[in-house]
Amino acid sequence: MRIAVGTDHGGYLLKETIIAVISETGHEALDFGTDSEDSVDYPDFAEKVGSAIQSGKADRGIVICGSGIGGCIAANKMQGVYAAICHDVYSAQQGVEHDDMNVLCLGGRIIGTELAKVLVKTFLEARFVGEDQGQERHKRRVEKVKKLEKEGKQS
Ligand code: RB5
Protein backbone atom coordinates (compact mmCIF):
# COMPACT_ATOMS: atom_id res chain seq x y z
CA MET A 1 0.00 0.00 0.00
CA ARG A 2 0.99 3.63 -0.39
CA ILE A 3 0.89 5.35 2.97
CA ALA A 4 0.72 9.14 3.23
CA VAL A 5 2.52 10.45 6.31
CA GLY A 6 2.04 13.97 7.66
CA THR A 7 3.21 15.47 10.95
CA ASP A 8 3.43 18.83 12.60
CA HIS A 9 6.42 19.81 14.75
CA GLY A 10 4.98 17.82 17.67
CA GLY A 11 5.13 14.63 15.61
CA TYR A 12 8.23 15.33 13.58
CA LEU A 13 10.62 13.28 15.73
CA LEU A 14 8.53 10.13 15.13
CA LYS A 15 8.27 10.61 11.39
CA GLU A 16 11.49 8.94 10.24
CA THR A 17 10.85 5.94 12.47
CA ILE A 18 7.42 5.53 11.00
CA ILE A 19 8.58 5.93 7.43
CA ALA A 20 11.23 3.26 8.06
CA VAL A 21 8.59 0.83 9.41
CA ILE A 22 6.40 1.44 6.37
CA SER A 23 9.28 0.60 4.01
CA GLU A 24 10.49 -2.38 6.04
CA THR A 25 7.04 -3.93 5.92
CA GLY A 26 6.88 -3.71 2.12
CA HIS A 27 4.78 -0.57 1.76
CA GLU A 28 5.56 2.78 0.18
CA ALA A 29 5.70 5.90 2.33
CA LEU A 30 4.67 9.26 0.87
CA ASP A 31 6.29 11.93 3.03
CA PHE A 32 4.18 15.10 3.31
CA GLY A 33 6.36 16.75 5.96
CA THR A 34 6.94 18.59 8.16
CA ASP A 35 10.71 18.52 7.92
CA SER A 36 11.91 20.12 11.14
CA GLU A 37 10.84 20.94 14.67
CA ASP A 38 9.92 24.49 13.64
CA SER A 39 6.36 25.35 14.61
CA VAL A 40 3.73 24.65 11.95
CA ASP A 41 -0.04 24.10 11.93
CA TYR A 42 -1.33 20.52 12.20
CA PRO A 43 -4.41 21.03 9.93
CA ASP A 44 -2.09 21.71 6.98
CA PHE A 45 -0.50 18.28 7.31
CA ALA A 46 -3.74 16.46 8.01
CA GLU A 47 -5.09 18.07 4.84
CA LYS A 48 -2.14 16.85 2.77
CA VAL A 49 -2.68 13.30 4.00
CA GLY A 50 -6.44 13.49 3.46
CA SER A 51 -6.03 14.91 -0.03
CA ALA A 52 -3.66 12.09 -0.96
CA ILE A 53 -6.31 9.58 0.08
CA GLN A 54 -9.11 11.43 -1.70
CA SER A 55 -7.14 11.62 -4.94
CA GLY A 56 -6.14 7.96 -4.79
CA LYS A 57 -2.43 8.77 -4.47
CA ALA A 58 -2.43 7.04 -1.10
CA ASP A 59 -4.34 4.02 0.19
CA ARG A 60 -4.05 4.99 3.84
CA GLY A 61 -2.47 7.67 5.98
CA ILE A 62 -0.70 8.36 9.23
CA VAL A 63 -1.07 11.76 10.91
CA ILE A 64 1.11 12.69 13.86
CA CYS A 65 0.92 15.77 16.04
CA GLY A 66 1.83 16.33 19.68
CA SER A 67 -1.21 14.63 21.17
CA GLY A 68 -2.73 13.11 18.03
CA ILE A 69 -5.94 15.02 18.77
CA GLY A 70 -5.72 18.08 16.53
CA GLY A 71 -4.52 16.07 13.56
CA CYS A 72 -7.30 13.55 14.09
CA ILE A 73 -10.03 16.17 14.32
CA ALA A 74 -8.75 17.91 11.18
CA ALA A 75 -8.39 14.69 9.19
CA ASN A 76 -11.93 13.60 10.04
CA LYS A 77 -13.33 16.78 8.48
CA MET A 78 -12.30 15.45 5.09
CA GLN A 79 -14.72 13.30 3.15
CA GLY A 80 -13.58 9.71 2.82
CA VAL A 81 -11.13 10.01 5.69
CA TYR A 82 -11.78 7.84 8.75
CA ALA A 83 -9.16 8.72 11.31
CA ALA A 84 -8.61 7.66 14.91
CA ILE A 85 -5.98 7.99 17.58
CA CYS A 86 -4.79 4.53 18.51
CA HIS A 87 -2.22 4.29 21.26
CA ASP A 88 -2.92 0.62 21.93
CA VAL A 89 -2.60 -2.40 19.64
CA TYR A 90 -6.20 -3.57 20.04
CA SER A 91 -7.54 -0.27 18.69
CA ALA A 92 -5.00 -0.07 15.86
CA GLN A 93 -6.19 -3.48 14.67
CA GLN A 94 -9.91 -3.27 15.37
CA GLY A 95 -10.19 0.26 14.02
CA VAL A 96 -9.35 -1.12 10.60
CA GLU A 97 -11.05 -4.51 10.93
CA HIS A 98 -14.41 -3.25 12.17
CA ASP A 99 -14.50 0.47 11.38
CA ASP A 100 -12.53 0.69 8.13
CA MET A 101 -10.23 3.33 9.65
CA ASN A 102 -7.90 4.57 6.93
CA VAL A 103 -5.85 7.10 8.89
CA LEU A 104 -3.92 6.26 12.04
CA CYS A 105 -3.28 9.25 14.29
CA LEU A 106 -0.49 9.26 16.84
CA GLY A 107 0.65 11.64 19.55
CA GLY A 108 4.37 12.17 19.17
CA ARG A 109 4.56 13.63 22.67
CA ILE A 110 2.60 10.75 24.18
CA ILE A 111 4.09 7.51 22.88
CA GLY A 112 7.64 6.28 22.40
CA THR A 113 9.21 4.97 19.22
CA GLU A 114 8.90 1.25 20.06
CA LEU A 115 5.16 1.47 20.68
CA ALA A 116 4.76 3.62 17.57
CA LYS A 117 6.46 0.93 15.47
CA VAL A 118 4.14 -1.79 16.76
CA LEU A 119 1.06 0.38 16.21
CA VAL A 120 2.06 1.18 12.64
CA LYS A 121 2.78 -2.49 11.86
CA THR A 122 -0.56 -3.49 13.34
CA PHE A 123 -2.40 -0.80 11.37
CA LEU A 124 -0.73 -1.88 8.12
CA GLU A 125 -1.43 -5.58 8.65
CA ALA A 126 -5.10 -5.13 9.48
CA ARG A 127 -7.84 -5.48 6.85
CA PHE A 128 -11.49 -4.44 6.96
CA VAL A 129 -13.58 -7.56 7.56
CA GLY A 130 -16.96 -6.13 6.54
CA GLU A 131 -16.90 -7.96 3.20
CA ASP A 132 -16.26 -11.34 4.87
CA GLN A 133 -18.98 -13.90 5.33
CA GLY A 134 -20.57 -13.54 8.74
CA GLN A 135 -19.07 -10.07 9.26
CA GLU A 136 -21.63 -8.07 7.29
CA ARG A 137 -22.67 -6.14 10.39
CA HIS A 138 -19.44 -4.16 10.18
CA LYS A 139 -20.14 -3.12 6.63
CA ARG A 140 -23.67 -2.12 7.61
CA ARG A 141 -22.32 0.06 10.42
CA VAL A 142 -19.70 1.69 8.23
CA GLU A 143 -22.38 2.42 5.64
CA LYS A 144 -24.35 4.18 8.37
CA VAL A 145 -21.28 6.27 9.20
CA LYS A 146 -20.95 7.18 5.54
CA LYS A 147 -24.61 8.19 5.50
CA LEU A 148 -23.95 10.50 8.44
CA GLU A 149 -20.95 11.89 6.59
CA LYS A 150 -23.12 12.61 3.56
CA GLU A 151 -26.30 13.86 5.21
CA GLY A 152 -25.25 15.02 8.66
CA LYS A 153 -22.95 17.85 7.76
CA GLN A 154 -25.26 20.83 8.23
CA SER A 155 -25.51 22.40 11.67
C1 RB5 B 1 1.40 21.80 18.86
O1 RB5 B 1 2.04 22.48 19.89
C2 RB5 B 1 0.29 20.92 19.38
O2 RB5 B 1 -0.75 21.71 19.81
C3 RB5 B 1 -0.14 19.95 18.32
O3 RB5 B 1 0.95 19.17 17.93
C4 RB5 B 1 -1.19 18.94 18.69
O4 RB5 B 1 -0.87 18.32 19.89
C5 RB5 B 1 -2.58 19.36 18.62
O5 RB5 B 1 -3.47 18.54 18.88
Side-chain angles (χ1 to χ4, degrees):
M1 290 187 289
R2 290 156 305 163
I3 312 299
V5 181
T7 85
D8 74 355
H9 53 292
Y12 169 67
L13 292 177
L14 263 190
K15 193 183 73 169
E16 292 307 323
T17 301
I18 277 160
I19 285 177
V21 172
I22 292 169
S23 305
E24 283 160 18
T25 52
H27 301 280
E28 183 188 348
L30 308 176
D31 182 352
F32 287 101
T34 190
D35 297 315
S36 76
E37 287 187 88
D38 294 346
S39 183
V40 290
D41 298 336
Y42 62 79
D44 299 336
F45 297 89
E47 183 181 2
K48 287 175 201 277
V49 170
S51 296
I53 291 171
Q54 288 176 335
S55 69
K57 276 188 196 155
D59 303 293
R60 292 190 194 173
I62 298 177
V63 169
I64 319 163
C65 62
S67 63
I69 295 172
C72 187
I73 291 172
N76 275 314
K77 298 294 176 197
M78 300 189 70
Q79 203 146 22
V81 172
Y82 309 104
I85 303 172
C86 300
H87 287 165
D88 66 277
V89 170
Y90 178 82
S91 301
Q93 181 173 336
Q94 198 194 269
V96 176
E97 288 185 349
H98 289 191
D99 309 319
D100 210 10
M101 169 178 78
N102 58 8
V103 172
L104 174 69
C105 300
L106 299 173
R109 293 173 179 159
I110 311 286
I111 59 167
T113 52
E114 293 309 311
L115 177 56
K117 286 182 197 173
V118 174
L119 294 169
V120 169
K121 281 183 194 165
T122 303
F123 170 64
L124 296 177
E125 279 169 16
R127 295 286 174 273
F128 179 54
V129 300
E131 304 290 344
D132 297 356
Q133 205 171 10
Q135 302 286 335
E136 296 84 1
R137 66 189 182 283
H138 298 301
K139 185 166 185 196
R140 182 181 71 239
R141 292 164 185 162
V142 167
E143 290 306 324
K144 287 187 178 184
V145 172
K146 290 181 177 170
K147 189 164 180 278
L148 280 176
E149 180 180 27
K150 203 171 166 202
E151 297 171 3
K153 285 210 158 188
Q154 289 88 358
S155 54

